[in-house]
Amino acid sequence: MSRNNGIDRRQMLKLAGLSAAGLGLTAAGCGSGSSGSGGTVTIRHSWWGADDRAKKVQQCVTLFEKKHPKIKVKTDFQQYADFWKKFNTQAAGGNPPDVIQNAVTFLRKYEAKNVLLDLKPQAEKGNLDLTGFRAGLEKFAEIDGRLFGVPVGSNSMALVIDEKVYEKAGVAPGAGWTWDDWYAGMQKIKNGQGIAGDAGPHGVMYLYDLMLRQNGKAFFTEDGMGFGEAELLPYWTEALARVKSGVYADPKKVEQIKPASATAKGLSAGEFTWDNFSVRYSAEGKSSYGLAPIPTTDGKRTGQYLGSLMLSGSARTKHPAEVATFISFMTHDPEVARIMGYDRGVPATTAQFEAYEPADAPNKAIGAYETAIADAGVLEPITPHPAGADVIEAAFLRIGTDLSLGKSSPEESVKQFFSEAKTALASN
């Protein structure tokens, strides 16, 4: 749920269904040791991302080692898909990294297999600071009273718009606007400028989750799906009609330009994505781009929450105190914020948020957007994601795309999705 250095989420999800089979690790006797000898301890930290993130993380590690000379941190990074392949292999072999970058779609999957370290005891011992987090993010990775991760940054869903197109059309999105307002605006844009209103949001699981939340439901419950065929069928039926009418962009053209975004390449006037992904648009496109509020059902509730990348510890680490010390440093030290910027989202703690003031317009807009939605009081707790959520997210995107390409009918698509979701939940 955070920026992946230009990697489109659709690419990321191609291998999101990586199996965690064979990762049933036993936590007994693990995660209870420390150095105890007074000598130097080495822990391993692994994450996904491109070279620019790697350079920033390495700078933070160097700073950490200067402040904690008895703790050395060995680093390793890969692209998103390669990271999870390697992590699966390491965890299955009983030798995972001590600290990993993690995301909510994988949290319960690996917690259920005893791969992750409960960080609560380390907080109670004073090795991990859980104070000063924005908007309750310190509880983001809490499951049944245990803590399996600590957020390093935050993001929330937003509508990225081509400001010039919207301005020319006279469409001015504002807080509390409705889905009817949004659709009317898209029609006005299409009829007046011949540009599709949206890239096609019907495969974005997290957007559909907000729509469900606005109506008292959610995409997931703690152990399964929070909606059924009766909700999804009209949504995908309507989406296909909008593709055919040109209100949503031509899906074939959208696929052809990937990994570039449809809005940046002028195929649509807007698209829904995570707010901190929006930095890519000014680099890819030639217009000016902004963040618009999420449309609502009732003019009030957006269903939004703050998502986050997080740092998790391994249940097999021999150095839980040092792991907690490192995680605490990465989430609280002001200099870390100045090094990382918004690379992994808006800093999760107030100290780091205040320590870094972005100079560029896209990042300024992201910070302002998250401040605005927090001040508006629209943020809610995130719904827990069950084990298998990563596979389900990938299926939702793939099947939604196939639907728009005419490969299956709405009825067939809905049945296929729920069949795959049932299998994913049963196999985790």
Side-chain angles (χ1 to χ4, degrees), residues 56-369:
K56 292 174 182 178
V57 173
Q58 192 58 56
Q59 283 182 262
C60 295
V61 166
T62 299
L63 182 63
F64 173 78
E65 291 178 337
K66 286 182 179 179
K67 294 188 176 184
H68 300 272
K70 291 190 176 183
I71 306 176
K72 300 300 178 184
V73 183
K74 185 178 180 180
T75 60
D76 183 32
F77 78 99
Q78 292 87 30
Q79 294 290 339
Y80 181 86
D82 293 334
F83 170 88
W84 289 110
K85 281 183 180 178
K86 186 171 183 177
F87 178 72
N88 280 331
T89 300
Q90 291 172 323
N95 188 36
D98 297 276
V99 181
I100 66 162
Q101 183 174 283
N102 203 356
V104 68
T105 46
F106 298 94
L107 193 65
R108 286 180 178 262
K109 181 175 194 170
Y110 292 113
E111 175 274 329
K113 298 179 183 299
N114 297 317
V115 173
L116 304 179
L117 175 68
D118 179 8
L119 292 164
K120 270 281 181 71
Q122 294 304 318
E124 292 167 357
K125 292 177 182 178
N127 296 322
L128 176 63
D129 185 358
L130 294 179
T131 64
F133 280 83
R134 297 169 44 241
L137 280 168
E138 71 277 6
K139 296 183 178 296
F140 184 77
E142 204 172 78
I143 299 176
D144 300 329
R146 296 174 296 164
L147 185 67
F148 294 102
V150 180
V152 292
S154 69
N155 53 11
S156 191
M157 289 296 295
L159 172 61
V160 177
I161 62 170
D162 185 319
E163 294 176 319
K164 293 180 179 179
V165 173
Y166 264 70
E167 183 178 356
K168 187 176 181 180
V171 180
W177 71 325
T178 66
W179 291 107
D180 288 340
D181 296 331
W182 170 70
Y183 182 63
M186 290 196 299
Q187 287 184 308
K188 194 173 182 180
I189 288 168
K190 176 186 175 293
N191 294 336
Q193 300 178 60
I195 301 171
D198 192 274
H202 46 284
V204 183
M205 183 189 82
Y206 287 100
L207 176 66
Y208 189 53
D209 183 32
L210 298 192
M211 293 178 167
L212 290 167
R213 288 162 68 94
Q214 288 179 15
N215 290 280
K217 297 191 176 185
F219 200 98
F220 292 119
T221 64
E222 287 191 13
D223 26 42
M225 307 300 293
F227 67 104
E229 293 186 15
E231 288 86 12
L232 185 56
L233 181 56
Y235 180 63
W236 272 356
T237 299
E238 180 181 65
L240 184 58
R242 291 177 177 180
V243 169
K244 291 179 177 178
S245 71
V247 172
Y248 290 170
D250 183 338
K252 292 181 181 178
K253 293 181 179 179
V254 173
E255 291 296 307
Q256 288 170 355
I257 65 165
K258 289 179 182 177
S261 66
T263 299
K265 293 305 179 182
L267 296 181
S268 69
E271 56 192 27
F272 292 91
T273 188
W274 296 106
D275 57 13
N276 64 315
F277 279 21
S278 63
V279 295
R280 65 182 291 191
Y281 290 81
S282 57
E284 292 181 2
K286 298 179 180 179
S287 188
S288 61
Y289 308 94
L291 295 172
I294 296 293
T296 65
T297 299
D298 61 2
K300 298 177 182 179
R301 185 180 184 185
T302 67
Q304 283 174 277
Y305 45 81
L306 291 183
S308 180
L309 282 181
M310 68 188 83
L311 295 180
S312 295
S314 164
R316 286 189 175 270
T317 184
K318 296 179 180 179
H319 310 294
E322 288 79 5
V323 162
T325 300
F326 177 67
I327 292 175
S328 197
F329 172 83
M330 292 294 283
T331 51
H332 288 276
D333 191 278
E335 187 58 28
V336 168
R338 288 187 278 269
I339 292 170
M340 296 302 303
Y342 286 1
D343 182 88
R344 297 178 297 186
V346 178
T349 57
T350 301
Q352 289 196 339
F353 179 73
E354 293 177 348
Y356 174 71
E357 295 184 9
D360 62 298
N363 277 308
K364 282 184 177 180
I366 294 168
Y369 177 78

Side-chain angles (χ1 to χ4, degrees), residues 13 16-18 80 105-106 109 220 386-395 428:
L13 289 171
L18 290 173
Y80 181 86
T105 46
F106 298 94
K109 181 175 194 170
F220 292 119
D390 55 324
V391 179
I392 294 169
E393 182 185 1
N428 283 277

